[in-house]
């Protein structure tokens, strides 16, 4: 399979794991060693100012830390619309070194705690059984702060996939 780095994984309605229910995940690495992604649509109540005070002035609104995934929540990852930084696979979107001060950084930064990871062939297996839709990412996706991002990403897809955006949270209530 060719690399999916720079793509979005959108949880299908069948994926009920609480870590990934209705998530939108940006894949930043996908190679023979496995995959690394960042959950984009899970804001926390933790202000950036409490965890990375130097970065609070450039934190993207609402200036809270987002849950990037269940792996290593002590790791902070920054994403910004800047050509400098580590590549994400999405043109114009970079990972920012949060260990350095933000001096001269004039683009908003979304800050994530932790990340999502898959071992060799694990993600491919999950895609094959219908857990994830793989769609094109937009550089603006990390800065969509509304919790209904899952529906909006699906709605912008062509064809029948856009209809999935209307799937109820709990089909048993219909």
């Amino acid at each position: 399979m060719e690399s999916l780095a720079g793509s979005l994984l959108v949880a299908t309605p069948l994926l009920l794991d609480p870590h990934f229910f209705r998530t939108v995940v940006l894949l930043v690495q996908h190679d023979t060693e496995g995959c690394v992604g960042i959950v984009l649509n899970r804001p926390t109540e933790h202000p950036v100012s409490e965890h990375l005070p130097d970065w609070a002035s450039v934190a993207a609104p609402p200036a809270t830390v987002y849950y990037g995934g269940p792996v290593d929540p002590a790791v902070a990852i920054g994403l910004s619309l800047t050509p400098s930084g580590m590549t994400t696979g999405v043109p114009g979107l970079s990972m920012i070194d949060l260990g350095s001060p933000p001096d001269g950084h004039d683009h908003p930064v979304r800050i994530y705690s932790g990340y999502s990871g898959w071992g060799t062939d694990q993600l491919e297996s999950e895609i094959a059984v219908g857990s994830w839709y793989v769609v094109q990412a937009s550089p603006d996706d990390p800065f969509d702060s509304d919790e209904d991002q899952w529906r909006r990403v699906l709605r912008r897809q062509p064809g029948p996939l856009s209809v999935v955006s209307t799937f109820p949270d709990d089909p048993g209530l219909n």
Side-chain angles (χ1 to χ4, degrees):
M1 177 181 267
E2 75 178 62
S3 177
L4 298 175
S7 298
L8 292 178
L9 297 177
V10 181
T12 70
L14 303 176
L15 183 56
L16 301 177
D17 177 324
H19 292 292
F20 296 108
F21 181 73
R22 300 283 166 110
T23 56
V24 176
V25 179
L26 173 64
L27 279 180
V28 295
Q29 176 190 342
H30 180 234
D31 55 31
T32 57
E33 296 178 22
C35 304
V36 174
I38 302 166
V39 174
L40 298 181
N41 61 328
R42 292 287 164 87
T44 71
E45 307 255 331
H46 304 283
V48 170
S49 60
E50 287 182 10
H51 298 279
L52 293 166
D54 290 346
W55 287 90
S57 64
V58 293
T64 59
V65 175
Y66 277 58
Y67 170 81
V71 180
D72 207 354
V75 169
I77 298 169
L79 295 177
S80 184
L81 291 170
T82 179
S84 60
M86 295 186 334
T87 183
T88 60
V90 180
L93 180 67
S94 298
M95 285 189 286
I96 303 301
D97 177 9
L98 298 174
S100 302
D103 300 335
H105 192 82
D106 56 358
H107 294 85
V109 177
R110 174 75 72 218
I111 297 176
Y112 299 88
S113 169
Y115 60 93
S116 304
W118 293 265
T120 304
D121 297 326
Q122 182 181 3
L123 178 59
E124 290 79 358
S125 296
E126 291 182 15
I127 293 169
V129 299
S131 296
W132 299 102
Y133 301 119
V134 180
V135 302
Q136 185 174 358
S138 163
D140 295 322
D141 286 332
F143 306 98
D144 181 347
S145 60
D146 189 331
E147 292 181 29
D148 209 22
Q149 184 180 22
W150 181 85
R151 290 187 194 285
R152 270 193 311 286
V153 168
L154 287 170
R155 201 171 299 125
R156 75 181 189 213
Q157 303 310 309
L161 191 53
S162 67
V163 176
V164 177
S165 70
T166 65
F167 200 88
D169 288 343
D170 184 353
L173 296 178
N174 285 344

